[in-house]
């Protein structure tokens, strides 16, 4: 769909996000469609339009755009206004109005905050004071994660936002919601009745959500040491995945209906006690063949820091569908391999005809793996009869791969920006959703929990196995057995 002509204001435009993601995405989305976007970058760096355009040209050239056409596009569509750190956005507002007049635009504006979270409140107040949000057309505010650092700060930030913007003008980004495979969760669940009719406590034994990163914290030590894994990953990305897996079918496929259902899941989650967490921090190790220095050696990390880089959490959802089914959430930096996956383990047969051993029944449960990255797709493990032996049973995967079926997958940012331009809030986090999510995890920020060391390149502290149900001693994702089943 061709978006309405608009001005796209990026506050914090000299950061990496603008050149790496925003300019290429706008170029692809709008220029190719013959649409009209005028990007106005604003930041404290004092520079002119030409300097900003040069950055834009480099950004586009890196994505394969021909340099001559990148230069001509940048000359027509990129502008820059320096702004003071403490606010005072009047010159920015006047420039936006001027561009709208010059190009005969109707006054539609996107205001994108590409800033460190601590700068959000002052920037939103400055936008309001300069009247940037008051154009004659539509206005949409886009805010990056993290939205607040606990329940109190998230509420305050929502108040600041709502002083200047209505909720239906606000687009809180969680880039996981822009991933094609995450969006596919809804399609998978609500078009395939085969699975949906088994998607409950009667058929499912447990659900594991793993976001394992092989990379460490790298150059983000200063930010990460004050954030930690619960703020950085659990409260946002992992909880978003949890809501999509656990929600009821919405009455319609629209932003209100879907987000209402997600909020209901969050409200049904039982408060999470300290015993439900296992935290860890990576030390020196070897990741995928290369030596990695431990977290505490990174620049920006405090001496002897106890900030966790790994968390495993057991969560219970007190509703009719999920009562008694553990949801096991797990994420960490410096782990053995990069994989984001949801593993749904089905119950075993009530009577044991196969897999018998002298004192009972062992064996495998059917597991459905929904792999978000990097091998996007799904895999359903089922038992089949092996030829030969009368009762020899083997577990084999039924496998679907996104890349085999569809080739390249679009970038999450491109998808989300396209939605902002179309005014579709479905994949953005609503105010009540962000607060409900913080309500769940804010207590943990105050718990005095041990932070277990683990060597980089492993699957995190062994203590996390204690969170698994009594009849399972290993996580479905990441252990050797699982890799063997899927032929990796
Ligand atoms: C970000 C976190 O939001 O998501 C990072 O701040 C993390 O710490 C990243 O590495 C993970 O995103 P992806 O898309 O690489 O899985």
């Amino acid at each position: 769909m061709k978006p309405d002509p608009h001005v796209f204001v990026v506050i914090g435009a000299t950061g990496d996000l603008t050149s790496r993601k925003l300019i290429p995405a706008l170029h692809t989305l709008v220029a190719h469609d013959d649409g009209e976007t005028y990007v106005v970058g604003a930041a404290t760096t004092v520079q002119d339009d030409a300097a900003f355009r040069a950055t834009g040209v480099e950004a586009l050239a890196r994505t394969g755009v021909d340099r001559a056409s990148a230069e001509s596009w940048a000359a027509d569509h990129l502008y820059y206004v320096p702004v003071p750190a403490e606010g005072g956005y009047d010159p920015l507002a006047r420039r936006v109005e001027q561009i709208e007049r010059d190009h005969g635009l109707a006054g539609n504006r996107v205001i994108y905050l590409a800033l460190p979270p601590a700068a959000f409140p002052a920037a939103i107040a400055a936008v309001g004071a300069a009247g940037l949000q008051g154009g004659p057309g539509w206005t949409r505010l886009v805010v990056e994660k993290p939205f607040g650092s606990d329940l109190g700060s998230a509420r305050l930030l929502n108040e600041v936002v709502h002083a200047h913007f209505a909720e239906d003008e606000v687009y809180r980004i969680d880039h996981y919601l822009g991933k094609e495979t995450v969006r596919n969760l809804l399609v998978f669940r609500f078009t395939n009745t085969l699975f949906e009719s088994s998607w409950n406590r009667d058929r499912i034994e447990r659900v594991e959500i793993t976001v394992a990163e092989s990379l460490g914290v790298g150059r983000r030590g200063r930010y990460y040491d004050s954030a930690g894994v619960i703020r950085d990953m659990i409260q946002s990305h992992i909880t978003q995945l949890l809501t999509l897996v656990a929600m009821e079918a919405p009455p319609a496929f629209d932003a209100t209906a879907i987000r209402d259902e997600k909020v209901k899941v969050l409200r049904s989650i039982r408060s999470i006690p300290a015993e439900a967490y296992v935290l860890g921090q990576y030390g020196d190790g070897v990741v995928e063949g290369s030596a990695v220095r431990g977290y505490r050696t990174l620049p920006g990390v405090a001496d002897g820091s106890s900030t966790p880089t790994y968390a495993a959490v057991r969560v219970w959802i007190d509703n009719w569908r999920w009562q008694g089914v553990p949801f096991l959430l797990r994420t960490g930096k410096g782990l053995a391999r990069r994989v984001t996956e949801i593993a749904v383990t089905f119950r075993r047969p009530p009577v044991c005809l196969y897999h018998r051993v002298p004192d009972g029944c062992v064996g495998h449960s059917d597991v459905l793996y929904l792999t978000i990255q990097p091998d996007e797709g799904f895999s359903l493990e089922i038992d089949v009869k092996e030829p030969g032996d009368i009762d020899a049973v083997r577990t084999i995967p039924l496998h679907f791969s996104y890349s085999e079926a569809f080739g390249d997958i679009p970038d999450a940012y491109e998808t989300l920006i396209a939605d902002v331009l179309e005014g579709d809030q479905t994949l953005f986090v609503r105010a009540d959703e962000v607060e409900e999510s913080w309500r769940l995890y804010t207590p943990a920020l105050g718990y005095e929990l041990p932070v277990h060391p683990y060597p980089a390149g492993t699957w995190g502290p062994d203590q996390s196995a204690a969170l698994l149900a009594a009849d399972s001693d290993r996580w479905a994702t990441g252990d050797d057995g699982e890799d063997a089943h899927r032929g990796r």
Side-chain angles (χ1 to χ4, degrees), residues 145 175-176 179 213 220 232-233 237 333 338 373:
K145 115 169 214 300
H175 78 276
Y176 264 57
K179 292 182 191 277
E213 296 187 274
R220 299 167 74 219
D232 188 53
M233 295 295 289
H237 306 322
K333 302 267 188 205
R338 175 171 182 252
Q373 56 192 22

Side-chain angles (χ1 to χ4, degrees), residues 73-229:
W73 187 78
D76 291 341
H77 296 92
L78 301 185
Y79 303 84
Y80 185 84
V81 181
V83 289
E86 60 284 0
Y89 289 178
D90 284 349
L92 174 61
R94 301 298 83 79
R95 187 85 193 271
V96 168
E97 289 160 8
Q98 184 63 48
I99 292 165
E100 289 171 349
R101 275 195 298 276
D102 291 349
H103 296 278
L105 303 178
N108 301 317
R109 299 173 186 172
V110 176
I111 299 166
Y112 197 114
L113 300 189
L115 294 167
F120 291 163
I124 294 165
V127 164
L132 259 170
Q133 79 290 23
W138 50 251
T139 307
R140 295 172 190 153
L141 175 74
V142 187
V143 191
E144 279 287 331
K145 115 169 214 300
F147 195 87
S149 54
D150 57 15
L151 179 57
S153 58
R155 278 186 180 146
L156 279 177
L157 191 51
N158 274 334
E159 280 173 23
V160 176
V161 167
H162 291 150
H164 304 286
F165 294 87
E167 182 59 27
D168 65 8
E169 296 175 319
V170 184
Y171 294 72
R172 293 176 194 78
I173 285 199
D174 181 309
H175 78 276
Y176 264 57
L177 293 178
K179 292 182 191 277
E180 206 62 35
T181 37
V182 173
R183 293 152 59 102
N184 184 49
L185 279 175
L186 294 181
V187 177
F188 181 85
R189 285 196 52 203
F190 299 126
T191 64
N192 298 303
T193 49
L194 171 68
F195 292 105
E196 190 48 26
S197 55
S198 307
W199 212 252
N200 56 50
R201 62 192 301 272
D202 297 333
R203 293 284 172 264
I204 291 177
E205 185 183 284
R206 67 179 192 276
V207 178
E208 296 171 31
I209 302 179
T210 297
V211 181
E213 296 187 274
S214 53
L215 289 178
V217 169
R219 289 183 299 167
R220 299 167 74 219
R222 185 186 301 278
Y223 150 75
Y224 197 89
D225 211 37
S226 61
V229 67

